[in-house]
Amino acid sequence: MKQFVLICVAALAVSACGTSRNIVENNTAEHVRVRTFQIQHTNDTVYVPQRTQNRFHEVLANEFYRNAGFSYGDGITVRYRFVSLTQGNRAMRFLAGGIGNAGQASLVIESEFLDENGTVLATIQTEGRIDSGLLGGSYNSAMERAAEEITAYARENFYARYSY
């Protein structure tokens, strides 16, 4: 029982209140369906610390290859870059308790989906945001939410459920 309570308290401590969404800029791929994807990071339009770049790539790859079940390959290349990054202030998120935007952290990722010839099939912008949490919420939550949205878009628009 004591361990259960400790686990619940730990889960609440790192939980966060955040949102994410995709904005589709263009989508020209109507019938492209593949089972393999590769992920590439390209030039960001804003400064992004190296550890944040590495962490997001790790989170996105985990979503694609472990959680969504995609295979690594050259079917479609997902080329992404950071176009906005505000790491916010965790202490302010904690003190504000989710009221207003105090300490809010957010990121916007632009992702292009390219076929094997390098033709852009779709471009989306994905926002991940963290507003609050018991201990201020972790910025990693915003990255995780953005990676989930990008992966969901790929699954809905390009994934071949069956081999042909």
Side-chain angles (χ1 to χ4, degrees), residues 12-35:
L12 283 172
V14 296
S15 67
C17 182
T19 60
S20 60
R21 66 185 174 136
N22 280 330
I23 298 171
V24 179
E25 293 180 356
N26 73 50
N27 185 356
T28 59
E30 294 181 20
H31 301 291
V32 176
R33 298 286 184 248
V34 299
R35 296 183 64 81

